[in-house]
Amino acid sequence: MEQVNIALAGFGTVGTGLARIMHENGEWIRRRLGKELVIRRVLVRNPEKERSFVLGPETEITADLDSFLLAQDTDIVVELIGGIETPLRIVTGALRAGKHVVTANKALLAEKGPELFRLASELQRGLYYEASVAGGIPIVQTLKESLAGNRIRHITGILNGTANSILSDMTNNGMDYAAALGQAQRNGYAEADPTMDVEGIDAAHKLILLIRLAYGQDFPLARMGIKGISGVDPYDIELARAFGYRIKLLAIVKEHSGRLQAGVFPYLVGEDHILARVDGPFNSILLEGNGVGPIMLYGQGAGDLPTGSAVLSDIMALASGKPPNNTGFVEAVLPEASTLEPELTTTRHYFRFTALDRPGVLAAIAGVLGERSISIAQVVQKQHPVGRGVPVVFLTHTAQVRDVEAALSQINGFSFVLSPAVHYRIL
Ligand SMILES: NC(=O)c1ccc[n+]([C@@H]2O[C@H](COP(=O)([O-])OP(=O)(O)OC[C@H]3O[C@@H](n4cnc5c(N)ncnc54)[C@H](OP(=O)(O)O)[C@@H]3O)[C@@H](O)[C@H]2O)c1
């Protein structure tokens, strides 16, 4: 049987997960592919380290990047290291040496995607990345192939399992942010440095990849509005709940008359909305195509076997010998996205002010909102003081972010407002 030789850069969580599925499903893979997949070599930092999966004698383990890249018998290079610098060297080196590449690295593809896809296209090599967005959920293939004929109206995703598990613990188990982060780290959902996950950057990277697949445009990270969850106060989770909402970190892109609006923000999501029920480390993507209508995908966004399963699907697609389809578009270089300014976003809003309890406060705040055409849907003044002030919560009808920012800055300047307004968008 023909053999397809794989060189695996990185043998951590995803690398071992991949090796385990390839081993467990070896017979099944041979039946589907008519070829045998062989992990010929593995690149790691420390070849002596004990691994949770023991590779067979056919696999060489090395820490020497040059010999790893120069090996003549490799067909497919799989990059599962993470970060940018070394993966960029591996991916470009592998493509230039005529190999196909599979990666799970969203940061690399969000930041260096245009140059890497151009190189892969020039060299007619595959650069596949199913595992880079939402782990085990097959969203890349879905957008690239299954929905290729649809115009995508919007995508709304819970794309970061770490942030979602923290928010779930804060909502369901009454934890504060620090306790929920600690729990996520103990469960293995959060890294020692959780910045990329909790500040929304990882979700933004994934959204850039989804935009490329759905719209054939490169959306610059610098033009994307991004806010994470590290500032979420349990008090707002409690208030949101009382109004019938849950707080979720959402990555959203919408098309408005040919221009794209995209961002990552914590949102209030109605508790009967399908995304409100996505809890813990799970991911979900809700999208709408003009032919297919709404679709929702749900599954494990991380973990050794789910992510390994997505990497394996790319390896099998490339090993099949079909001509590669990297972005789902024929152009070698995709155009930069035509974007709508983030401040022109219209959505509903939640504000919490902490103000002195005295007459005229509500009227003054409502007056500023009215001047900016922000129409109020609900107002609640809580009875229990917080420090010297009382919380006043406003839920609005749809209003433009630009007007909201101007109104909040004016209201924050009032002498009776004791701390800056807390603001969330409502889905
Ligand atoms: N973990 C997930 O659930 C998940 C989900 C989706 C996507 N991803 C992506 O998949 C990639 C891998 O993630 P992971 O969680 O598997 O990472 P990981 O557990 O930290 O494993 C990284 C591996 O890369 C090796 N490595 C790191 N730096 C290296 C260097 N300079 N030279 C050679 N080898 C090096 C490490 O070697 P040693 O073992 O010797 O230290 C380790 O085997 C990342 O891009 C990540 O964003 C991960």
Side-chain angles (χ1 to χ4, degrees):
M1 188 177 274
E2 186 187 337
Q3 288 194 343
V4 177
N5 288 331
I6 292 155
L8 190 55
F11 200 57
T13 306
V14 184
T16 47
L18 169 68
R20 183 166 283 128
I21 319 174
M22 283 176 62
H23 177 72
E24 281 175 15
N25 296 355
E27 201 50 54
W28 181 251
I29 294 166
R30 281 189 285 279
R31 183 173 157 217
R32 279 194 178 265
L33 206 56
K35 297 177 186 177
E36 179 156 29
L37 301 177
V38 182
I39 300 177
R40 204 38 89 197
R41 56 191 52 78
V42 165
L43 176 77
V44 288
R45 252 179 322 217
N46 174 11
E48 308 307 324
K49 200 195 253 182
E50 205 171 306
R51 309 281 166 181
S52 63
F53 181 85
V54 179
L55 292 154
E58 71 285 0
T59 308
E60 174 200 338
I61 302 184
T62 177
D64 179 355
L65 177 56
D66 291 325
S67 75
F68 176 86
L69 283 176
L70 288 173
Q72 295 294 316
D73 59 352
T74 306
D75 299 301
I76 300 173
V77 171
V78 180
E79 185 280 306
L80 299 175
I81 282 183
I84 304 274
E85 206 179 309
T86 307
L88 183 62
R89 237 185 107 192
I90 292 172
V91 173
T92 51
L95 290 171
R96 289 204 178 100
K99 322 293 184 204
H100 296 302
V101 173
V102 174
T103 179
N105 192 331
K106 53 265 172 174
L108 178 72
L109 292 180
E111 294 190 17
K112 306 286 179 189
E115 64 188 80
L116 291 176
F117 286 116
R118 175 193 292 152
L119 183 65
S121 168
E122 280 167 9
L123 298 167
Q124 297 182 355
R125 296 291 94 188
L127 173 55
Y128 277 25
Y129 45 97
E130 183 63 74
S132 62
V133 186
I137 301 175
I139 181 63
V140 172
Q141 173 74 4
T142 299
L143 286 169
K144 196 164 66 172
E145 309 271 359
S146 315
L147 299 180
N150 276 259
R151 301 304 307 262
I152 304 297
R153 295 199 170 112
H154 72 85
I155 302 175
T156 304
I158 293 177
L159 300 180
N160 188 280
T162 308
N164 201 51
S165 72
I166 291 172
L167 290 173
S168 298
D169 268 339
M170 291 177 76
T171 306
N172 303 332
N173 301 324
M175 292 184 187
D176 65 11
Y177 173 77
L181 171 60
Q183 185 63 48
Q185 282 167 329
R186 281 190 296 282
N187 289 343
Y189 303 146
E191 294 181 30
D193 177 0
T195 311
M196 300 282 278
D197 293 323
V198 300
E199 297 307 343
I201 303 155
D202 175 77
H205 283 155
K206 292 165 176 168
L207 186 58
I208 287 172
L209 270 55
L210 294 183
I211 291 171
R212 197 179 276 144
L213 288 156
Y215 300 98
Q217 301 179 28
D218 269 309
F219 199 108
L221 184 65
R223 262 192 260 154
M224 193 173 277
I226 304 174
K227 189 175 171 201
I229 61 154
S230 60
V232 173
D233 186 326
Y235 190 44
D236 293 297
I237 291 200
E238 189 188 315
L239 290 171
R241 246 181 121 108
F243 283 105
Y245 293 94
R246 287 169 173 245
I247 297 182
K248 293 279 175 199
L249 184 68
L250 299 183
I252 300 184
V253 59
K254 284 183 187 159
E255 183 165 23
H256 298 274
S257 319
R259 296 174 75 193
L260 298 181
Q261 203 160 53
V264 176
F265 292 95
Y267 270 81
L268 263 64
V269 180
E271 63 195 2
D272 51 356
H273 192 285
I274 202 159
L275 288 177
R277 298 180 196 167
V278 176
D279 266 336
F282 278 77
N283 281 192
S284 183
I285 296 151
L286 193 60
L287 59 84
E288 190 175 335
N290 65 345
V292 72
I295 287 190
M296 178 169 160
L297 291 97
Y298 169 87
Q300 298 189 62
D304 54 355
L305 293 176
T307 314
S309 142
V311 173
L312 176 57
S313 75
D314 281 346
I315 294 174
M316 289 175 69
L318 290 168
S320 74
K322 288 194 214 118
N325 172 15
N326 294 333
T327 61
F329 294 86
V330 291
E331 299 112 295
V333 180
L334 295 176
E336 191 171 289
S338 163
T339 60
L340 206 60
E341 294 72 14
E343 62 273 19
L344 299 184
T345 305
T346 55
T347 182
R348 292 181 296 144
H349 301 267
Y350 162 105
F351 311 132
R352 173 168 63 85
F353 304 102
T354 305
L356 289 175
D357 189 10
R358 64 183 195 209
V361 164
L362 276 181
I365 295 174
V368 173
L369 297 178
E371 280 163 27
R372 302 277 175 185
S373 314
I374 302 166
S375 151
I376 299 161
Q378 260 179 292
V379 187
V380 170
Q381 178 166 341
K382 297 306 258 187
Q383 297 303 316
H384 302 294
V386 174
R388 289 193 301 133
V390 286
V392 189
V393 181
F394 285 74
L395 269 56
T396 77
H397 292 294
T398 303
Q400 209 164 57
V401 166
R402 184 173 52 185
D403 294 327
V404 163
E405 283 172 353
L408 292 185
S409 124
Q410 197 177 337
I411 294 167
N412 284 339
F414 286 145
S415 58
F416 59 76
V417 170
L418 298 178
S419 52
V422 175
H423 168 214
Y424 288 102
R425 294 156 191 241
I426 304 177
L427 185 67

